C-alpha cells in the first residue's frame, strides 16, 4: 500500500537562542512535525535537552512534537515528555525496561508509540511488538550526533520490515539527503527525519518537498 510521506524536522543542531525563528522555518518549509532528540549522555554519547525545554517549544509552534528518547531508562520519564506536549514517543529497543510495559504506558496516556532500532539491531527484534505500536524508526546513523553519513545497510532493513507489515509506519533517521532519498522511499519508508538537509538548503521548502518524493 502507498502511504503518505511525512517529514519530521530535527532541531538538535540548531540555535536554541533563536528557537522561535527555527520553528517558524520548519513550519514555513512544510515540515509535518518537530523531531526532538532527547539524549541523556548514557545511552548515547551526547547531552541535549529535556522536558523543561520542550515545554517552551510547545508554546512556540502548533506542529506535532515527536520525542525520540535516546535515554537508558525511558519508562521512568514517559509522563514527563507526554505532559509537556509530545504527541508521539519513540523509545529504543536497546534501552532498559520491558517494551510491553512502555508501550502500554504510552498508549494509556493517549499518545502514539514508536520503537527505534539502532543500525546493528535486527528488524526481527521488533516483530513481537508490531501490532501494538504505531511506527518503527530505523536509525541510519549511530545515535548521538547530527551530521553523520547514511549507513546504506538500512535499505535492506526497510524492505524487510515493509514485507513483514504493509501497515506500520517506517521512519528513517540519519544522513538522509538528495543522493539517497529515492532509494529510501522506494524501499518502503514513509517518514523521513531530517536536520542538515533542510537547514543547509537555500530553499528549505524545496528540500522538504524533495524528501517527500515530490517532483518540481
Amino acid at each position: 500500500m502507498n502511504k503518505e510521506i511525512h517529514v519530521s524536522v530535527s532541531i538538535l543542531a540548531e540555535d536554541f537562542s533563536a528557537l522561535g525563528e527555527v520553528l517558524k522555518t520548519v513550519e514555513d518549509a512544510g515540515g509535518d512535525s518537530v523531531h526532538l532528540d532527547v539524549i541523556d549522555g548514557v545511552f548515547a554519547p551526547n547531552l541535549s535537552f529535556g522536558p523543561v525545554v520542550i515545554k517552551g517549544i510547545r508554546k512556540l509552534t502548533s506542529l506535532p512534537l515527536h520525542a525520540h528518547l535516546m535515554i537508558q531508562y525511558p519508562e521512568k520519564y514517559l509522563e514527563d515528555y507526554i505532559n509537556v506536549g509530545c504527541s508521539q514517543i519513540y523509545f529504543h529497543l536497546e534501552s532498559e525496561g520491558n517494551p510491553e510495559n512502555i508501550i502500554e504506558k504510552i498508549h494509556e496516556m493517549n499518545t502514539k508509540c514508536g520503537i527505534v532500532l539502532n543500525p546493528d539491531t535486527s528488524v526481527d527484534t521488533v516483530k513481537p511488538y508490531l501490532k501494538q505500536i504505531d511506527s518503527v524508526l530505523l536509525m541510519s546513523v549511530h545515535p548521538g550526533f547530527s551530521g553523520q553519513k547514511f549507513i546504506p545497510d538500512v535499505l535492506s532493513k526497510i524492505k524487510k520490515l515493509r514485507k513483514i507489515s504493509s501497515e506500520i509506519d517506517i521512519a528513517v533517521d540519519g544522513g538522509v539527503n538528495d543522493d539517497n532519498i529515492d532509494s529510501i522511499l522506494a524501499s518502503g519508508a514513509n517518514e523521513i527525519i531530517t536536520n542538515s538537509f533542510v537547514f543547509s538548503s537555500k530553499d528549505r521548502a524545496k528540500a522538504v518537498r524533495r524528501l517527500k518524493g515530490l517532483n518540481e
Side-chain angles (χ1 to χ4, degrees):
M1 64 180 293
N2 292 323
K3 297 176 72 70
E4 184 177 352
I5 308 302
H6 180 111
V7 173
S8 191
V9 181
S10 168
I11 59 172
L12 178 63
E14 299 313 304
D15 182 359
F16 271 54
S17 70
L19 269 181
E21 295 176 20
V22 170
L23 293 165
K24 187 176 187 305
T25 290
V26 175
E27 293 176 358
D28 291 347
D32 297 298
S33 64
V34 179
H35 189 80
L36 303 169
D37 295 291
V38 178
I39 314 171
D40 65 358
V42 178
F43 181 81
N46 198 354
L47 283 171
S48 60
F49 48 81
V52 173
V53 172
I54 294 174
K55 185 176 181 179
I57 291 172
R58 178 68 288 166
K59 297 175 182 178
L60 295 172
T61 181
S62 60
L63 290 175
L65 304 182
H66 294 181
H68 176 185
L69 303 185
M70 288 175 267
I71 62 179
Q72 194 69 19
Y73 301 100
E75 190 171 1
K76 292 172 62 176
Y77 302 102
L78 296 175
E79 291 185 17
D80 295 333
Y81 290 98
I82 295 171
N83 287 338
V84 293
C86 295
S87 59
Q88 179 151 332
I89 301 290
Y90 284 105
F91 72 95
H92 277 257
L93 203 56
E94 302 90 357
S95 62
E96 300 291 337
N98 184 312
E100 292 187 354
N101 291 345
I102 297 172
I103 295 166
E104 182 179 1
K105 192 169 184 178
I106 293 172
H107 282 158
E108 282 177 352
M109 297 188 71
N110 297 314
T111 303
K112 289 186 176 182
C113 176
I115 284 180
V116 190
L117 302 181
N118 280 339
D120 298 331
T121 302
S122 169
V123 165
D124 292 330
T125 59
V126 79
K127 288 169 67 175
Y129 312 107
L130 287 178
K131 293 184 178 180
Q132 304 171 52
I133 61 176
D134 301 284
S135 59
V136 177
L137 194 170
L138 298 175
M139 294 297 295
S140 45
V141 297
H142 294 284
F145 294 94
S146 181
Q148 299 180 61
K149 290 186 178 181
F150 180 82
I151 298 173
D153 289 349
V154 76
L155 295 175
S156 61
K157 294 175 70 173
I158 300 169
K159 293 174 183 177
K160 182 174 182 177
L161 184 55
R162 183 54 75 206
K163 285 182 180 179
I164 295 170
S165 174
S166 62
E167 300 292 333
I168 197 76
D169 286 328
I170 301 176
V172 175
D173 184 359
V176 179
N177 58 37
D178 194 54
D179 295 328
N180 53 43
I181 184 59
D182 292 329
S183 297
I184 292 169
L185 296 178
S187 297
N190 66 291
E191 180 171 348
I192 305 302
I193 298 163
T194 182
N195 174 261
S196 57
F197 182 70
V198 167
F199 284 109
S200 65
S201 298
K202 292 182 179 179
D203 186 336
R204 293 169 177 174
K206 183 177 180 180
V208 169
R209 292 194 298 271
R210 175 73 178 108
L211 294 178
K212 292 187 176 186
L214 299 176
N215 295 321
E216 293 298 318

